Amino acid sequence: MSNLVASFFSISLFGFIFTSAFLIRRKPLAYYFFISVYFIYVISLFVNLSIANGLIVKLPHLYRIVSPLQFLFGPLCYLFCRTTLRPYQKFQNKDLLHFIPFLVSTIGLIPIFMLSGTEKLEFIYNKGLYPSPWYKPDTFGLAYVVVLRLKFVVFLGYLIFLWKMLYDFKKHASVELQQNNRVLIAWLLFDTTIQSFLGIAIFASAIWANYFENT
């Protein structure tokens, strides 16, 4: 297991460098939405594996830092798909409403963010207080597994919108438009399928949390 953790940890570091390089380069808005999704994935992977391999002892303030960011998966995937399929539909102030769950989660985690490094390590490694890592506190003191289920519900709503947008485009767009953008559409279908698979896998883990030791 330690070799597997080390391998995934190396992958997360590479992913962090790779996605960071894309984020700092000037690109169309849709690409920023897309790369941000995978940036959050690799940061989540890095933090969880840091706990698994003990690196978190040196970086205790990373604890729970990615939890509110995970509420951005749905909005970022949706905005990427919408900006790509509907370039005429510009980002507006009302689109900021998509980020309310992220903001609420961040506010709810302030008490944990304010803890000292020693106190955070106590949360991570003290198994006596909690039956498993799934039940350690998250937003507003809710168990992590509860918050994860909420994240999936939010993400599921966005997945429905994603598939509807793709269906509407395939149904209503002209044959010429679809032909000219067939590679892009194929990529959107592939990416949305991957997001759906990951969402279902995370949901299954959260529902049957008692059968899993870690995230």
Side-chain angles (χ1 to χ4, degrees):
M1 180 62 71
S2 60
N3 289 336
L4 183 62
V5 170
S7 298
F8 276 111
F9 187 73
S10 299
I11 291 171
S12 72
L13 285 175
F14 173 77
F16 174 77
I17 295 170
F18 186 74
T19 52
S20 296
F22 269 91
L23 283 173
I24 62 177
R25 294 178 62 186
R26 188 172 181 82
K27 291 183 176 294
L29 183 60
Y31 284 89
Y32 286 105
F33 291 137
F34 169 72
I35 294 297
S36 294
V37 171
Y38 288 94
F39 183 77
I40 297 171
Y41 273 131
V42 295
I43 290 295
S44 299
L45 186 62
F46 175 82
V47 172
N48 280 306
L49 291 171
S50 294
I51 295 174
N53 66 15
L55 182 62
I56 197 70
V57 173
K58 296 182 179 180
L59 303 167
H61 292 293
L62 289 179
Y63 184 62
R64 288 292 184 255
I65 201 72
V66 297
S67 186
L69 292 176
Q70 291 165 349
F71 276 105
L72 296 177
F73 283 137
L76 290 172
C77 289
Y78 167 75
L79 290 169
F80 165 59
C81 191
R82 193 190 75 180
T83 305
T84 304
L85 295 178
R86 306 172 186 172
Y88 54 86
Q89 191 172 348
K90 303 299 182 183
F91 189 86
Q92 301 175 346
N93 289 336
K94 65 180 181 180
D95 288 318
L96 294 174
L97 295 174
H98 292 291
F99 300 94
I100 288 178
F102 160 75
L103 181 61
V104 171
S105 177
T106 301
I107 293 171
L109 280 165
I110 289 176
I112 292 179
F113 291 154
M114 296 296 290
L115 295 175
S116 67
T118 301
E119 290 172 316
K120 289 179 180 178
L121 291 176
E122 180 70 13
F123 265 126
I124 296 170
Y125 291 112
N126 190 333
K127 296 183 178 180
L129 293 176
Y130 310 99
S132 78
W134 289 98
Y135 296 97
K136 292 182 179 180
D138 198 279
T139 300
F140 293 111
L142 294 172
Y144 176 73
V145 68
V146 174
V147 177
L148 189 61
R149 290 167 183 166
L150 290 173
K151 290 174 184 177
F152 176 77
V153 170
V154 172
F155 189 51
L156 178 62
Y158 280 101
L159 279 176
I160 293 171
F161 277 112
L162 286 172
W163 284 111
K164 185 178 186 305
M165 276 194 293
L166 288 165
Y167 173 79
D168 289 344
F169 183 85
K170 295 285 289 183
K171 183 177 181 180
H172 300 296
S174 66
V175 174
E176 182 182 3
L177 183 61
Q178 293 192 46
Q179 279 294 107
N180 292 339
N181 294 277
R182 60 184 182 277
V183 174
L184 180 61
I185 300 307
W187 173 253
L188 281 172
L189 285 168
F190 171 75
D191 184 63
T192 304
T193 301
I194 291 295
Q195 302 299 344
S196 301
F197 172 77
L198 288 171
I200 292 170
I202 292 169
F203 176 69
S205 298
I207 289 297
W208 291 289
N210 292 331
Y211 296 96
F212 296 88
E213 176 67 20
N214 257 312
T215 307

